[in-house]
């Protein structure tokens, strides 16, 4: 242990890398901020960045261990395998195919409105975080399986669901340091996990639901049935000729479906919740949005198509103002760290939060200011908008 410590601090290839010696000596430094301080390591990195002015950047492969088995596209380590898996899923997130989902989304939005009507004028408080989590979860389930889960039909907008997913996200930091505990839990019977960790029950229920839906899709394909009127992601993955048989096993399809539901639900729900809060709490923003929407021509049911809405400058500026703080890197073999610090599989990362909160790029970055995207500097600012990542690993859902 002493020899290892001396190597890390004085003789290793990263010994001269600027930063606190405790962080260089042990990963318990990261454990403290992510587990004890509950996910605060990114903010500590921002503080250290200001102190040590580190500017070298690269992806951090170690950071995905907390997600469990790495058999879904997001966490696929190898470049070629990732390219194949992403190629099978990516077409579903093209603008053209997503727009084909508009009728289904409209029906769910109508359901949200009908659920909110009884609260009108009562003074009752509605938890928009739970509401939007139900909406986005049902939308992505509809797209993945051609059938929603039904969260929007549940009482009080299924508050347990959002809490369970956020708890699982928090557990990621712990399991990143102790992946063997995660592996052990996955080996236990679900009944035991439900008793020992009841907060995970809703996630286990989601897993059960996903397996049932995959079984249904497999049975439909064997019987020659197709989802009526809509393409389904899981249907198409099973029928994909490029994917290997290993990539079509129940375990792989279940992992991909869980990733789709997780990524397509809470990130969007959180963005909608924060944006809705600022619209409601800022009268100027609310008035400008109402004025812009009020000038739109609607159909006989008072609706406006998305291809018309996306042309509204102020509405679009609101969607850009709160950028999802997605800051988890993807594993790569990297040797892009320059100078004396270079080492294969040693990565130096910069969170998107650091870029979005940089006053050099975004004046008053913590202010919810839609006007920044409407001014003469908007085009320049867009290149610093990296919430969805860049390159071949950027988020599929950015469109």
């Amino acid at each position: 242990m002493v020899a290892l410590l001396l190597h890390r601090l004085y003789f290793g290839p990263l010994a001269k890398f600027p930063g606190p010696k405790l962080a260089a000596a042990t990963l318990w430094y990261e454990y403290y901020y992510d587990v004890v301080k509950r996910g605060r390591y990114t903010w500590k990195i921002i503080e250290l960045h200001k102190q040590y002015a580190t500017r070298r950047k690269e992806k951090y492969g170690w950071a995905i261990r907390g997600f469990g088995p790495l058999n879904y596209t997001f966490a696929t380590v190898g470049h070629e395998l990732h390219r194949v898996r992403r190629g099978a899923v990516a077409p579903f997130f093209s603008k053209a195919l997503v727009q084909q989902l508009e009728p289904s989304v409209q029906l769910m939005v109508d359901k949200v409105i009908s659920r909110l009507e009884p609260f009108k004028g009562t003074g009752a408080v509605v938890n928009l975080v739970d509401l939007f989590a139900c909406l986005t979860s049902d939308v992505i389930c509809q797209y993945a399986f051609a059938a929603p889960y039904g969260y929007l039909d549940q009482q009080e907008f299924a508050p347990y669901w959002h809490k369970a997913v956020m708890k699982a996200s928090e557990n990621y930091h712990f399991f990143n340091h102790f992946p063997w505990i995660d592996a052990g839990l996955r080996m236990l019977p679900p009944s035991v996990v439900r008793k020992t960790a009841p907060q995970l029950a809703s996630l286990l229920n989601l897993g059960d639901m996903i397996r049932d839906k995959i079984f249904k899709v497999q049975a439909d394909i064997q019987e020659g049935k197709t989802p009526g009127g809509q393409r389904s992601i899981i249907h198409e993955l099973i029928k994909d000729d490029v994917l290997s048989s290993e990539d079509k096993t129940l375990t792989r399809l279940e992992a991909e479906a869980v990733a789709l539901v997780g990524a397509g639900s809470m990130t969007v729900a959180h963005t909608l919740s924060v944006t809705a809060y600022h619209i409601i709490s800022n009268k100027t923003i609310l008035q400008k949005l109402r004025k812009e929407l009020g000038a739109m021509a609607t159909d006989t049911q008072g609706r406006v198509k998305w291809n018309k809405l996306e042309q509204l400058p102020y509405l679009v500026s609101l969607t850009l103002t709160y950028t999802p703080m997605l800051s988890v890197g993807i594993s790569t073999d990297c040797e892009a760290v320059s100078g004396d610090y270079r080492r294969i599989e040693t990565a130096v990362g910069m969170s998107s939060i650091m870029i979005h909160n940089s006053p050099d790029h975004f004046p008053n970055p913590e202010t919810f200011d839609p006007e920044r995207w409407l001014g003469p500097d908007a085009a320049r600012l867009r290149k610093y908008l990296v919430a969805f990542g860049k390159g071949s690993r950027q988020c599929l859902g950015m469109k």
Side-chain angles (χ1 to χ4, degrees):
M1 289 295 294
V2 174
L4 177 61
L5 183 63
L6 291 174
H7 174 77
R8 289 176 175 175
L9 293 178
Y10 301 106
F11 305 109
L14 300 181
K16 295 181 180 180
F17 198 90
K21 292 299 182 183
L22 184 58
T26 175
L27 285 172
W28 288 107
Y29 185 87
E30 180 176 345
Y31 175 90
Y32 173 76
Y33 285 100
D34 261 348
V35 178
V36 179
K37 291 291 187 178
R38 302 179 67 185
R40 299 301 300 177
Y41 191 52
T42 292
W43 280 262
K44 183 62 179 178
I45 291 175
I46 293 174
E47 178 185 327
L48 295 175
H49 181 75
K50 293 177 181 178
Q51 180 179 353
Y52 294 98
T54 301
R55 299 184 63 184
R56 297 170 175 85
K57 301 183 294 182
E58 193 41 80
K59 292 181 180 180
Y60 191 21
W62 182 83
I64 57 175
R65 300 197 308 175
F67 289 113
L70 306 181
N71 54 354
Y72 48 98
T73 300
F74 170 75
T76 300
V77 176
H79 172 76
E80 287 301 321
L81 182 56
H82 173 266
R83 181 183 60 80
V84 172
R85 288 177 172 176
R86 181 185 175 94
V89 179
F92 292 94
F93 294 91
S94 67
K95 188 173 181 179
L97 281 187
V98 169
Q99 285 184 326
Q100 293 180 15
L101 191 64
E102 184 173 357
S104 296
V105 175
Q106 183 64 63
L107 289 174
M108 294 181 198
V109 171
D110 291 343
K111 183 176 290 188
V112 168
I113 295 173
S114 66
R115 289 288 308 273
L116 290 176
E117 282 291 342
F119 295 101
K120 188 176 181 179
T122 65
V125 176
V126 178
N127 189 322
L128 290 182
V129 177
D130 291 340
L131 183 154
F132 286 131
C134 290
L135 172 62
T136 56
S137 297
D138 275 353
V139 167
I140 191 61
C141 284
Q142 175 72 33
Y143 205 20
F145 308 107
Y149 183 78
Y151 286 113
L152 282 173
D153 297 319
Q154 298 187 23
Q155 292 184 346
E156 298 181 351
F157 299 109
Y160 64 87
W161 168 233
H162 174 257
K163 290 183 177 65
V165 176
M166 296 311 296
K167 182 62 179 178
S169 300
E170 186 175 311
N171 288 340
Y172 152 79
H173 296 298
F174 180 81
F175 291 139
N176 206 41
H177 292 270
F178 302 103
W180 55 272
I181 296 180
D182 179 39
L185 287 173
R186 292 175 184 274
M187 295 174 63
L188 294 175
S191 58
V192 175
V193 177
R194 283 186 169 91
K195 290 181 180 179
T196 56
Q199 70 274 17
L200 298 180
S202 58
L203 289 179
L204 292 175
N205 293 340
L206 173 66
D208 293 340
M209 179 273 290
I210 286 176
R211 279 189 294 275
D212 290 342
K213 288 188 176 295
I214 292 174
F215 287 142
K216 176 67 165 57
V217 171
Q218 290 173 329
D220 286 347
I221 291 176
Q222 289 179 353
E223 296 174 10
K225 297 179 181 179
T226 57
Q230 179 196 319
R231 296 180 66 183
S232 155
I233 296 177
I234 299 300
H235 278 81
E236 298 299 327
L237 289 183
I238 293 174
K239 295 191 298 182
D240 191 285
D241 294 330
V242 177
L243 289 177
S244 66
S245 58
E246 290 79 7
D247 270 343
K248 299 179 183 181
T249 62
L250 175 62
T251 301
R252 239 288 291 171
L253 292 172
E254 181 184 352
E256 197 71 89
V258 169
L260 287 169
V261 173
S265 57
M266 295 307 162
T267 54
V268 182
H270 187 58
T271 300
L272 289 172
S273 301
V274 173
T275 302
Y277 165 79
H278 286 287
I279 293 172
I280 295 170
S281 62
N282 190 310
K283 291 183 179 180
T284 300
I285 293 177
L286 180 59
Q287 290 172 356
K288 288 184 177 181
L289 180 60
R290 279 178 169 172
K291 181 179 179 180
E292 188 175 63
L293 291 174
M296 294 291 295
T298 63
D299 61 18
T300 55
Q301 295 178 301
R303 297 170 175 170
V304 181
K305 291 291 186 179
W306 173 245
N307 60 359
K308 301 295 183 182
L309 290 173
E310 65 179 350
Q311 298 176 28
L312 300 180
Y314 198 73
L315 177 62
V316 172
S317 74
L318 287 171
T319 67
L320 295 174
T321 301
Y322 179 76
T323 51
M325 295 184 177
L326 307 176
S327 58
V328 178
I330 302 296
S331 178
T332 59
D333 290 328
C334 54
E335 50 181 338
V337 182
S338 62
D340 295 335
Y341 311 129
R342 186 172 68 175
R343 179 185 177 187
I344 297 295
E345 295 182 352
T346 296
V348 181
M350 177 181 287
S351 167
S352 61
I353 298 175
M354 299 176 69
I355 300 175
H356 296 154
N357 284 358
S358 170
D360 294 336
H361 304 313
F362 300 98
N364 303 313
E366 296 183 359
T367 301
F368 190 88
D369 181 17
E371 303 293 337
R372 77 168 84 245
W373 300 106
L374 300 173
D377 210 27
R380 182 189 66 84
L381 290 178
R382 280 179 178 264
K383 71 178 182 179
Y384 298 111
L385 188 63
V386 293
F388 296 95
K390 297 288 185 180
S392 62
R393 301 251 183 180
Q394 70 180 7
C395 179
L396 286 169
M398 66 178 297
K399 296 181 180 180

